[in-house]
C-alpha cells in the first residue's frame, strides 16, 4: 500500500474519511531547506501523526504555522483515506484518471510528431 500513499494530495476529493483530533499527534519542529535565518530560527514545520495507522505527514510549505497545520491535515486525511480504502478511494481514482489523461496526451503528441516527420519527408521528396 506504500505506492497508494504517494497518490495523495489531490484537492478535489470530497468523500474522505473524517479524522478525529484524539487520533492525531502534532509536533512543531524547525523546517529545512532554503530560507536561511527565517527557517533556522522558527518552529513552523508541522509533523502530524495518525496514531491508529501510524501514518506521518511533515508539512513546511509556508511560513505560517496555521496554514501548515491546515495543509498537513488535508494531506493526512487523504493518506488515511488511501490507507483504509485502497483502490476504492476517490484520491486513488482521481490519480488513475489523471495518469490516463497524461498517457493519452503523450500518445497524441507522439502521433503528431510522426505526422510532421512524414510531412517533411514528403516535402523533401517533392523537391527532388
Amino acid at each position: 500500500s506504500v505506492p497508494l500513499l504517494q497518490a495523495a494530495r489531490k484537492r478535489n476529493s470530497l468523500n474522505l474519511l473524517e479524522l478525529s483530533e484524539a487520533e492525531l499527534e502534532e509536533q512543531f519542529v524547525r523546517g529545512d531547506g532554503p530560507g536561511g535565518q527565517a527557517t533556522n530560527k522558527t518552529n513552523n514545520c508541522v509533523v502530524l501523526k495518525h496514531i491508529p495507522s501510524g501514518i506521518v505527514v511533515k508539512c513546511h510549505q509556508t511560513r505560517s504555522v496555521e496554514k501548515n497545520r491546515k495543509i498537513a491535515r488535508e494531506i493526512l486525511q487523504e493518506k488515511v483515506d488511501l490507507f483504509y480504502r485502497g483502490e476504492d478511494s476517490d484520491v486513488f481514482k482521481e490519480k488513475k484518471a489523471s495518469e490516463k489523461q497524461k498517457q493519452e496526451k503523450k500518445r497524441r503528441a507522439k502521433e503528431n510528431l510522426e505526422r510532421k516527420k512524414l510531412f517533411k519527408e514528403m516535402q523533401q521528396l517533392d523537391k527532388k
Side-chain angles (χ1 to χ4, degrees):
S1 67
V2 174
L4 288 178
L5 295 179
Q6 294 172 353
R9 198 57 186 134
K10 292 283 176 195
R11 292 182 176 264
N12 299 335
S13 302
L14 300 173
N15 190 17
L16 299 175
L17 293 173
E18 292 297 318
L19 297 177
S20 92
E21 288 296 319
E23 296 176 335
L24 302 179
E25 186 178 292
E26 187 174 44
Q27 288 180 306
F28 303 103
V29 296
R30 288 196 182 117
D32 55 359
Q37 185 175 0
T39 301
N40 298 336
K41 283 193 166 187
T42 58
N43 290 340
N44 56 5
C45 181
V46 177
V47 178
L48 202 57
K49 180 178 182 180
H50 185 249
I51 297 168
S53 65
I55 297 173
V56 178
V57 171
K58 186 176 181 182
C59 180
H60 188 235
Q61 293 182 9
T62 68
R63 292 173 65 181
S64 166
V65 175
E66 288 305 314
K67 286 181 185 174
N68 286 336
R69 288 180 77 205
K70 184 179 182 227
I71 294 169
R73 277 171 173 68
E74 290 172 0
I75 296 170
L76 185 66
Q77 186 177 16
E78 292 171 359
K79 287 194 177 197
V80 168
D81 189 68
L82 276 170
F83 182 77
Y84 286 116
R85 292 186 181 169
E87 293 183 7
D88 295 331
S89 172
D90 288 345
V91 177
F92 183 77
K93 290 175 185 174
E94 283 181 20
K95 179 73 171 174
K96 278 290 191 191
S98 70
E99 282 179 12
K100 195 172 186 179
Q101 285 177 341
K102 190 175 181 181
Q103 287 175 350
E104 181 65 22
K105 189 175 179 182
K106 200 181 270 189
R107 185 189 63 76
R108 276 190 255 123
K110 194 173 184 180
E111 284 178 1
N112 284 340
L113 191 65
E114 288 294 323
R115 277 194 216 114
K116 286 179 183 178
K117 196 174 185 181
L118 284 172
F119 183 71
K120 283 185 179 181
E121 287 175 6
M122 295 291 278
Q123 279 183 333
Q124 287 181 355
L125 286 175
D126 288 346
K127 287 180 182 179
K128 291 181 181 179

